[in-house]
């Protein structure tokens, strides 16, 4: 037995501090010069703001003077982050650094002191061969915790012959796989067509990928697909068809892989749709019609019949979205949907599924500040959002998880909340909206990662779930397989527990009586068959079965009578409610008539008021005219008085002399007298 040394990678916040020190945020006087020399100005400002948000908190410092342009730009960048939480700022800082400098982690030996795990490795030829191929040992699985200690060693119920010998359900195993594995990645796309799992694109060390790999699920062998690129449309001004991308969605359609949306280095304005023809091995840009949505990544794309339903995501400017669009794959026409009700809040990296080809379910996802565990349902017929009540073991908030449906069961794997990966694999029965935990893992393992993929296939006639890749402090390229037992066992659980208010309650209510009777008959037949199988003696079996049958019939009849009585009461209550509803409608009719009468009176009053306003306006105009006439009259009176005074003055001046004597003026006569 020898000892091997394995590096586990740094967890947060140590990873952030190492990244900050590497970028130049070490508190030295020349730290700003170091940062600006390594990065472009806009990236340096964003890194500065995220570092301040992570170490200091929200910006509460006064706004610098406009004369200091550098400090003002730094302050605006920090202020723009608002109340972003510390953990989110740390995560975004590391993510941006990885995008700008993918090799920083390997070159940061001066800043990073990783914990080292001593793990026992057996000198076995088969074991060494398995390790060289990147697979775990077939006999045991060693799981390491996040603090660097070995938590436990779990036995695997699998042998080297392959998946055909798996004897256990609801447990993740790493199967023996041949061929060259794809490069470790996350936020890639995955799909299964004809017993082959295809992996396209993704993110590795901050670099977007454009390679295509296929895993043959019969021989369990990886191979790289050497694809060709078809000619782009002449009118296309978009980036190259095979532009590396991450956060996109891959959907199997007929004999094609459809890659839709995703983040790219040089994003286009609208969503791009690419198709890979499996027969010709050629990528081509698919032409669409109508108004396409803005480009984005981290959205959900769900195949419903012949249409793709796209919800949410994050656009190229890091703005979160909650819009809804539908792409008809037969006509390749876009349609933007304005649904009723309250939609989910803007988010990305959530999960979506369709139930009964009618109900779209949205679970979880994240914003810039938090992660969610809410469940929303969109009725694709009425186009109305609802938020139903969840029951059972409701999952913790998470983003970056992967999901797949098997029948009416919705399996969700992985994801995280910026602190740790989600260790539980959970399942939601979409008919009852009851959550349950399938299995749980321990430590930092691939199925507890963000950005992993999950697909469903079959092995020996049974469904199996396959996960690939993900990021949980390091990038993964492992394949893990789980054989679920919930497809058969959940049916009996539904019969035993009362169904909650769910998306299918409306349909179940119409045939309640018939369903109950048929359920009793099925239960009766199954119990009789169990009795027959359990006993090998035919005579006692017959008598015991008859006795049990009689007891069962009596019990079932009593339960049936009780249910019929309850049903009668419900019918009476329904009749009473209908009467009350009719009375309420009558009252509403009367109130409506009264309202119409009041509206008529109000209209007449408004008309009279309008006439009065017109009269008042006319009177005001006349009043103004009278005031003007009054002023003119006063002016004329003053002019008249002035002229009279002037005439009297002239008369007084000309009253003396000879002419006055000749005229015989009274004044002179008075003097003579």
């Amino acid at each position: 037995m020898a000892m091997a040394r394995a590096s586990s990678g740094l967890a947060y916040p140590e990873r952030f501090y190492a990244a900050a020190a590497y970028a130049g945020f070490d508190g030295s006087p020349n730290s700003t010069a170091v940062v600006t020399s390594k990065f472009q100005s806009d990236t340096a400002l964003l890194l500065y703001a995220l570092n301040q948000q992570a170490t200091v908190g929200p910006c509460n410092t006064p706004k610098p003077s406009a004369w200091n342009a550098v400090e003002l730009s730094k302050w605006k960048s920090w202020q723009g982050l608002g109340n972003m939480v510390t953990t989110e700022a740390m995560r975004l800082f590391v993510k941006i650094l990885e995008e700008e400098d993918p090799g920083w982690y390997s070159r940061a030996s001066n800043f990073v002191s990783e914990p080292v795990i001593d793990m026992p490795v057996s000198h076995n030829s088969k074991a060494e061969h398995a390790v060289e191929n990147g697979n775990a040992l077939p006999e045991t699985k060693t799981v390491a915790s996040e603090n660097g200690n070995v938590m436990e060693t779990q036995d695997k119920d699998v042998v080297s012959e392959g998946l055909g010998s798996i004897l256990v359900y609801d447990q993740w195993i790493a199967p023996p796989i041949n061929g060259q594995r794809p490069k470790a990645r996350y936020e890639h796309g995955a799909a299964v067509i004809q017993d082959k799992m295809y992996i396209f694109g993704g993110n590795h060390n901050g670099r977007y990928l454009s390679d295509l790999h296929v895993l043959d699920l019969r021989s369990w062998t990886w191979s790289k697909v050497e694809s060709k690129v078809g000619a782009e449309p002449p009118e296309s001004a978009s980036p190259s068809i095979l532009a590396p991308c991450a956060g996109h969605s891959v959907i199997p359609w007929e004999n094609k892989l459809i890659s839709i949306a995703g983040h790219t280095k040089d994003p286009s304005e609208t969503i791009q749709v690419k198709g890979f023809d499996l027969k010709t091995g050629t990528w081509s840009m698919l032409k669409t019609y109508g108004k396409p949505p803005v480009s984005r990544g981290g959205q959900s794309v769900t195949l419903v019949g012949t249409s793709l339903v796209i919800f949410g995501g994050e656009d190229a400017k890091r703005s979160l979205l909650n819009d809804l669009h539908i792409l008809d794959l037969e006509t390749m026409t876009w349609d933007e949907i304005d649904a009723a009700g309250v939609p989910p809040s803007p988010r990305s990296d959530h999960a979506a599924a369709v139930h009964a080809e009618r109900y779209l379910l949205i679970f979880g996802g994240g914003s810039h500040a938090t992660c969610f565990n809410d469940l929303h349902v969109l009725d694709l017929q009425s186009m109305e959002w609802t938020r139903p009540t969840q029951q059972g073991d409701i999952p913790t908030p998470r983003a970056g998880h992967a999901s797949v449906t098997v029948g009416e069961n919705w399996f969700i794997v992985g994801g995280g909340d910026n602190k740790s990966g989600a260790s539980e694999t959970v399942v939601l029965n979409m008919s009852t909206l009851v959550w349950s935990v399938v299995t749980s893992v321990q430590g930092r393992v691939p199925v507890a990662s963000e950005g992993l993929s999950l697909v469903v296939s079959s092995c020996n006639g049974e469904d199996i779930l396959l996960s690939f890749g993900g990021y949980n402090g390091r990038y993964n390229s492992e394949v893990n397989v789980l054989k679920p037992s919930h497809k058969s066992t959940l049916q009996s659980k539904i019969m035993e527990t009362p169904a909650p208010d769910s998306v299918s309650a409306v349909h179940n209510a119409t045939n309640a009586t018939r369903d109950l009777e048929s359920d009793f008959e099925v239960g009766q037949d199954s119990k009789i068959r169990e009795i027959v199988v359990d006993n090998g003696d035919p005579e006692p079996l017959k008598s015991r079965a008859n006795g049990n049958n009689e007891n069962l019939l009596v019990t079932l009849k009593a339960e049936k009578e009780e249910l019929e009585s309850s049903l009668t009461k419900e019918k009476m209550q329904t009749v009473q409610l209908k009467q009350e509803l009719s009375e309420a409608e009558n009252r509403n009719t009367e109130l409506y008539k009264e309202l119409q009468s009041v509206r008529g009176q109000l209209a007449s009053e408004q008309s009279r008021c309008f006439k009065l306003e017109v009269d008042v306006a006319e009177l005001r105009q006349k009043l103004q005219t009278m005031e003007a006439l009054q002023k003119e009259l006063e002016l004329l009176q003053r002019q008249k008085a002035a002229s009279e005074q002037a005439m009297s003055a002239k008369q007084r001046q000309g009253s003396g002399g000879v002419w006055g004597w000749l005229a015989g003026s009274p004044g002179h006569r008075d003097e003579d007298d």
Side-chain angles (χ1 to χ4, degrees):
M1 183 72 69
M3 303 302 292
R5 299 175 68 83
S7 173
S8 65
L10 288 178
Y12 289 94
E14 288 78 9
R15 189 175 183 87
F16 161 74
Y17 293 134
Y22 175 80
F25 294 99
D26 53 2
S28 60
N30 62 341
S31 61
T32 303
V34 173
V35 175
T36 54
S37 64
K38 288 184 177 181
F39 307 99
Q40 296 181 359
S41 58
D42 54 346
T43 304
L45 283 174
L46 185 56
L47 290 175
Y48 165 80
L50 291 170
N51 180 71
Q52 291 292 103
Q53 193 81 6
T55 56
V56 179
C59 179
N60 293 320
T61 59
K63 184 177 180 180
S65 172
W67 295 103
N68 194 338
V70 175
E71 292 299 325
L72 181 61
S73 299
K74 292 164 66 176
W75 182 86
K76 287 182 178 180
S77 182
W78 184 12
Q79 182 75 14
L81 298 180
N83 294 323
M84 180 184 293
V85 296
T86 300
T87 54
E88 177 69 9
M90 290 182 176
R91 187 184 70 85
L92 288 177
F93 185 98
V94 175
K95 184 177 181 181
I96 293 173
L97 179 61
E98 289 175 347
E99 292 176 353
E100 296 294 327
D101 190 356
W104 78 270
Y105 195 69
S106 60
R107 294 193 294 270
S109 58
N110 295 331
F111 312 104
V112 180
S113 58
E114 293 185 338
V116 177
I117 309 171
D118 292 330
M119 299 168 57
V121 178
S122 174
H123 285 290
N124 183 287
S125 59
K126 293 183 179 180
E128 291 175 356
H129 179 70
V131 171
E132 289 176 357
N133 287 333
N135 300 317
L137 299 177
E139 291 84 4
T140 60
K141 179 174 71 174
T142 302
V143 180
S145 67
E146 294 188 6
N147 59 11
N149 299 321
V150 178
M151 297 296 295
E152 63 174 322
T153 301
Q154 299 176 341
D155 294 332
K156 285 186 179 180
D157 296 273
V158 61
V159 293
S160 59
E161 282 81 0
L163 292 176
S165 59
I166 299 177
L167 302 178
V168 296
Y169 289 91
D170 301 333
Q171 180 176 335
W172 287 104
I173 63 102
I177 293 179
N178 304 313
Q180 182 64 38
R181 291 184 301 174
K183 182 181 293 185
R185 67 193 66 199
Y186 83 126
E187 292 184 342
H188 51 278
V192 170
I193 297 181
Q194 298 177 353
D195 295 329
K196 292 182 179 180
M197 180 176 71
Y198 293 86
I199 301 295
F200 172 64
N203 190 323
H204 175 81
N205 283 341
R207 295 295 184 188
Y208 298 143
L209 306 174
S210 61
D211 50 347
L212 179 64
H213 298 262
V214 60
L215 175 64
D216 192 320
L217 300 180
R218 292 168 293 186
S219 62
W220 295 94
T221 303
W222 278 112
S223 60
K224 184 176 181 180
V225 179
E226 299 298 335
S227 57
K228 298 176 291 183
V229 179
E232 295 189 28
E235 67 276 8
S236 176
S238 61
S240 173
I241 291 174
L242 277 185
C245 60
H248 53 287
S249 303
V250 174
I251 304 295
W253 173 250
E254 296 176 345
N255 202 32
K256 288 186 178 69
L257 293 174
I258 295 180
S259 175
I260 184 169
H263 294 300
T264 57
K265 184 178 180 180
D266 299 315
S268 60
E269 293 183 359
T270 58
I271 281 183
Q272 302 295 311
V273 183
K274 296 173 286 189
F276 179 75
D277 193 317
L278 297 178
K279 292 182 180 179
T280 62
T282 304
W283 283 103
S284 60
M285 187 71 70
L286 302 181
K287 185 177 181 180
T288 61
Y289 304 91
K291 183 181 179 182
V294 296
S295 63
R296 65 193 66 197
Q299 71 292 323
S300 63
V301 180
T302 311
L303 180 62
V304 183
T306 60
S307 299
L308 296 179
V309 182
I310 294 91
F311 173 78
E314 184 182 49
D315 66 13
K317 298 179 181 178
R318 301 181 183 272
S319 297
L320 294 170
L321 308 168
N322 67 341
D323 51 348
L324 186 68
H325 301 266
I326 292 181
L327 176 62
D328 190 326
L329 293 177
E330 293 183 337
T331 62
M332 297 303 293
T333 303
W334 286 105
D335 187 15
E336 183 175 4
I337 304 300
D338 185 12
V342 181
S345 59
R347 66 190 63 198
S348 66
D349 300 324
H350 50 278
V354 62
H355 173 52
E357 293 296 308
R358 174 174 175 178
Y359 302 100
L360 179 71
L361 286 78
I362 302 291
F363 173 76
S367 66
H368 294 312
T370 187
C371 295
F372 308 109
N373 65 340
D374 49 352
L375 178 67
H376 299 262
V377 177
L378 173 66
D379 189 331
L380 295 173
Q381 290 186 6
S382 62
M383 285 299 172
E384 182 177 3
W385 285 105
T386 57
R387 187 173 177 179
T389 302
Q390 306 178 67
Q391 297 195 10
D393 299 324
I394 300 176
T396 56
R398 64 192 64 192
H401 44 290
S403 69
V404 74
T405 58
V406 180
E408 62 180 7
N409 300 312
W410 188 20
F411 293 88
I412 292 180
V413 178
D417 59 357
N418 295 327
K419 298 178 182 178
S420 60
S423 59
E424 302 89 5
T425 297
V426 296
V427 60
L428 174 70
N429 185 290
M430 293 184 289
S431 294
T432 62
L433 298 183
V434 177
W435 289 99
S436 57
V437 177
V438 179
T439 186
S440 182
V441 296
Q442 294 185 0
R444 187 175 294 177
V445 295
V447 293
S449 301
E450 295 185 27
L452 75 168
S453 61
L454 186 69
V455 296
V456 61
S457 185
S458 61
C459 180
N460 296 330
E462 292 188 283
D463 295 311
I464 57 172
L465 310 184
L466 297 98
S467 72
F468 172 79
Y471 178 81
N472 56 4
R474 57 178 177 268
Y475 297 91
N476 299 306
S477 61
E478 290 81 1
V479 175
N480 288 275
V481 180
L482 180 140
K483 183 167 64 172
S485 64
H486 285 66
K487 184 176 181 181
S488 57
T489 57
L490 279 184
Q491 301 297 329
S492 60
K493 293 181 180 179
I494 296 172
M495 294 293 297
E496 295 171 3
T497 59
D501 182 16
S502 69
V503 294
S504 60
V506 176
H507 301 285
N508 295 336
T510 57
N511 297 321
T513 307
R514 184 180 62 189
D515 292 343
L516 287 172
E517 292 177 354
S518 61
D519 291 342
F520 284 135
E521 292 173 0
V522 171
Q524 175 185 346
D525 293 340
S526 61
K527 291 182 179 179
I528 293 175
R529 284 196 297 270
E530 291 175 1
I531 296 172
V532 173
V533 172
D534 290 340
N535 199 323
D537 190 359
E539 291 299 329
L541 173 64
K542 185 176 181 180
S543 60
R544 196 174 83 182
N546 290 333
N548 288 332
N549 286 345
E550 292 178 357
N551 293 332
L552 282 173
L553 288 174
V554 172
T555 303
L556 292 175
K557 286 181 179 179
E559 292 179 355
K560 184 178 180 181
E561 291 176 356
E562 183 178 354
L563 288 173
E564 288 178 347
S565 175
S566 300
L567 183 60
T568 302
K569 293 180 181 179
E570 293 293 334
K571 288 182 178 180
M572 293 177 63
Q573 291 181 358
T574 302
V575 172
Q576 183 178 357
L577 289 174
K578 286 183 178 180
Q579 292 177 352
E580 294 178 356
L581 180 61
S582 178
E583 294 176 357
E585 289 178 350
N586 292 333
R587 289 197 299 270
N588 288 340
T589 302
E590 294 176 357
L591 290 174
Y592 180 76
K593 291 179 180 179
E594 185 177 351
L595 177 61
Q596 291 296 105
S597 176
V598 172
R599 285 179 176 174
Q601 295 176 4
L602 179 61
S604 62
E605 291 295 329
Q606 287 177 342
S607 177
R608 192 178 69 172
C609 181
F610 177 75
K611 291 180 180 179
L612 290 175
E613 289 178 352
V614 172
D615 294 340
V616 169
E618 292 178 352
L619 291 175
R620 285 179 178 175
Q621 188 174 2
K622 291 180 180 180
L623 181 61
Q624 291 177 355
T625 304
M626 291 179 65
E627 290 178 352
L629 293 174
Q630 181 68 29
K631 290 180 180 179
E632 291 180 1
L633 178 61
E634 292 177 355
L635 179 60
L636 291 173
Q637 288 177 350
R638 287 197 297 270
Q639 291 176 354
K640 181 182 178 181
S643 61
E644 290 177 352
Q645 290 178 0
M647 290 177 65
S648 62
K650 288 180 181 181
Q651 289 176 358
R652 284 194 299 271
Q653 289 178 0
S655 60
V658 176
W659 295 104
W661 176 79
L662 291 175
S665 69
H668 286 284
R669 286 196 301 265
D670 292 340
E671 290 178 0
D672 292 339
D673 293 336

